[in-house]
Amino acid sequence: MRMGRTAMTGNGLDDYLRALVAKDAALAPVAAVMRAVAKAAAETAKQIALGPLGSSHDGGAIPEAGHANAGGDVQKALDLLTDRLFTEALADAPVAVLVSEELDEPKRLNAGAPLVVAIDPLDGSSNIDVNVSVGTIFSILPALPDAADDAAHFMQPGSAQRGAGFVVYGPQTIFILSVGGPTAAFILDPRSHAFALLKEEMAIAPDSHEYAINASNYRHWDPAVRAFIDDAMEGEDGRLSRNHNMRWVASMVADAYRIFTRGGVFLYPGDQRKGYGAGRLRLLYEVSPIAFLVEHAGGKATDGAKRILDIVPTAVHQRCPLVFGSAQVVETIVGYHTDPKLIANRSPLFKARGLMMG
Ligand code: FDP
Ligand code: ZN
């Protein structure tokens, strides 16, 4: 239905960006970054669809049947290929410095350019081999004229972002973006390789009964996260008084797109595993851009206590716990972190033992 409406309006990403710049000329550099991302994303979508048939594998040769490492090779090759595609595209845009998940150090692109970009070129890449959605996430910040070094440009809170976006390479390729106004969605037309407008203003449902979390980490979570999930699993008999549903794609972009479409909440909290104290996701190119897009669609994003967009980074690859989605549910989860009454007198282990003994 939505696609039909879009076809009637005939709006493309280019028209959308041109209209924004016509209204506010200061948006021209951000619009140029969005165009660069769209170009690299269209090529990435093509390569992902080709999989082992593509030029990213064995110089274009189709791997022999039974090739032991075919899947893993495609995944690794795509990681490198997408990094190259996005770096090349962004080098043609007004971007001074690039931080990428694939690079240890920031990379200098165009000295004196007004913007810097942080990017995860291939999010959820372990899903490549199993033909499940993956994506690209990026954040656009103003370059700081007095930055002491390349990394210093990125030590700004997420609220300073000039724009952000993510692309989901799924059954359809969808590009979600905001330049500080409403979060908009575009769909790649594989016939023309151009993005068409899908929805001008995404609005995340304020309430939902659907949550996304990797529940296998239950025993490592802090008491607040456990208490919320315990209560959700108790359904209409529990404190939250309603039955819940769970989804976990293990590609944050795909979970995020579902939440933009029908509401819900996503959690990747910090936990007790070694190296997971601040969760798994990276602040600059995963957490912060998602938070920006979520807020511009009426949702909320927090680390459990603090608003994500207020956090000032201290390192380019730092991790950050993330809870985002439907505003009321995010507030409920913050409540579990801040109201000691909600986690007092709970003994899930005792309860489980009791059940087993019964
Ligand atoms: P990946 O490492 O495959 O890139 O970016 C981190 C991420 O995927 C997210 O996309 C995803 O939500 C999460 O990790 C999956 O983590 P688990 O393996 O712990 O479920
Ligand atoms: Zn990622």
Side-chain angles (χ1 to χ4, degrees):
M1 221 166 82
R2 275 188 197 148
M3 287 159 70
R5 215 179 57 198
T6 302
M8 276 188 333
T9 59
N11 282 340
L13 175 62
D14 225 47
D15 306 297
Y16 176 85
L17 295 172
R18 221 173 303 127
L20 285 179
V21 175
K23 259 198 240 150
D24 179 0
L27 288 175
V30 177
V33 170
M34 295 298 181
R35 281 196 190 92
V37 168
K39 185 175 163 218
E43 183 57 30
T44 298
K46 214 159 73 184
Q47 292 298 332
I48 288 172
L50 283 169
L53 305 175
S55 57
S56 60
H57 181 80
D58 287 354
I62 300 170
E64 287 164 32
H67 188 304
N69 260 331
D73 286 353
V74 171
Q75 178 190 328
K76 221 167 114 203
L78 267 171
D79 264 324
L80 297 176
L81 179 77
T82 50
D83 187 57
R84 183 170 63 72
L85 285 172
F86 283 97
T87 304
E88 283 173 6
L90 290 167
D92 285 338
V95 178
V97 185
L98 180 69
V99 159
S100 166
E101 197 197 11
E102 294 292 324
L103 300 173
D104 289 342
E105 299 295 329
K107 186 181 177 73
R108 219 170 276 179
L109 294 181
N110 299 298
L115 301 171
V116 297
V117 170
I119 192 162
D120 181 358
L122 198 60
D123 178 57
S125 58
S126 65
N127 275 329
I128 280 286
D129 292 345
V130 290
N131 196 22
V132 169
S133 299
V134 291
T136 298
I137 320 173
F138 64 97
S139 158
I140 307 171
L141 286 160
L144 300 176
D146 52 354
D149 55 26
D150 292 342
H153 291 290
F154 295 89
M155 304 303 121
Q156 310 182 50
S159 56
Q161 288 175 97
R162 290 285 160 79
F166 70 87
V167 183
V168 191
Y169 311 102
Q172 299 137 21
T173 295
I174 305 279
F175 185 3
I176 302 285
L177 64 86
S178 166
V179 299
T183 298
F186 298 83
I187 178 166
L188 182 66
D189 186 333
R191 298 162 301 189
S192 62
H193 304 290
F195 282 94
L197 184 64
L198 192 55
K199 200 158 191 192
E200 215 160 339
E201 297 197 16
M202 301 292 278
I204 297 178
D207 196 12
S208 167
H209 69 292
E210 202 161 64
Y211 63 88
I213 193 164
N214 184 339
S216 68
N217 297 318
Y218 181 91
R219 69 191 186 284
H220 305 297
W221 296 336
D222 66 33
V225 176
R226 276 199 208 191
F228 169 71
I229 297 297
D230 283 343
D231 288 346
M233 286 175 64
E234 293 208 338
E236 55 193 13
D237 304 327
R239 212 189 70 86
L240 296 168
S241 310
R242 66 170 154 187
N243 296 326
H244 282 72
N245 190 33
M246 197 209 76
R247 289 286 183 273
W248 185 251
V249 182
S251 274
M252 186 180 59
V253 286
D255 282 313
Y257 187 62
R258 185 189 59 253
I259 288 168
F260 275 91
T261 309
R262 66 177 193 214
V265 70
F266 173 103
L267 303 93
Y268 213 120
D271 65 49
Q272 301 295 325
R273 284 174 296 162
K274 197 161 182 272
Y276 279 79
R280 179 184 178 105
L281 304 170
R282 313 288 181 144
L283 177 56
L284 281 184
Y285 40 81
E286 294 180 319
V287 174
S288 188
I290 288 289
F292 186 84
L293 296 161
V294 163
E295 286 205 3
H296 283 100
K300 289 202 164 185
T302 167
D303 68 356
K306 270 196 309 288
R307 178 184 177 232
I308 294 291
L309 294 182
D310 291 335
I311 298 172
V312 182
T314 53
V316 291
H317 295 294
Q318 91 185 63
R319 296 174 199 272
C320 181
L322 175 61
V323 176
F324 74 84
S326 295
Q328 289 169 28
V329 189
V330 174
E331 274 166 27
T332 299
I333 295 170
V334 170
Y336 279 82
H337 284 82
T338 50
D339 181 355
K341 282 199 303 292
L342 290 180
I343 53 172
N345 303 323
R346 283 172 183 264
S347 178
L349 269 181
F350 175 76
K351 230 159 69 184
R353 270 194 212 115
L355 275 175
M356 270 157 55
M357 280 161 66

